[in-house]
Amino acid sequence: MPDEENGRAALGSLFGVVATDIHFWIPMIVLVAGLVLLHELR
């Protein structure tokens, strides 16, 4: 049983890290894409 609980905890923390990472990278990608677009239109 302890192994199963550790696996679930690790999976939950991994999901948390990925979710946090996604919420960081999506705005960053949008910002960079906007800057590139402004540079191309100029």
Side-chain angles (χ1 to χ4, degrees):
M1 279 290 187
D3 290 337
E4 198 173 305
E5 289 175 5
N6 287 342
R8 285 182 186 161
L11 186 62
S13 73
L14 178 66
F15 178 75
V17 168
V18 169
T20 303
D21 197 43
I22 286 172
H23 284 98
F24 170 76
W25 283 112
I26 287 178
M28 189 63 68
I29 289 170
V30 169
L31 177 66
V32 170
L35 291 174
V36 168
L37 212 73
L38 280 173
H39 182 72
E40 291 298 320
L41 291 175
R42 230 169 133 183

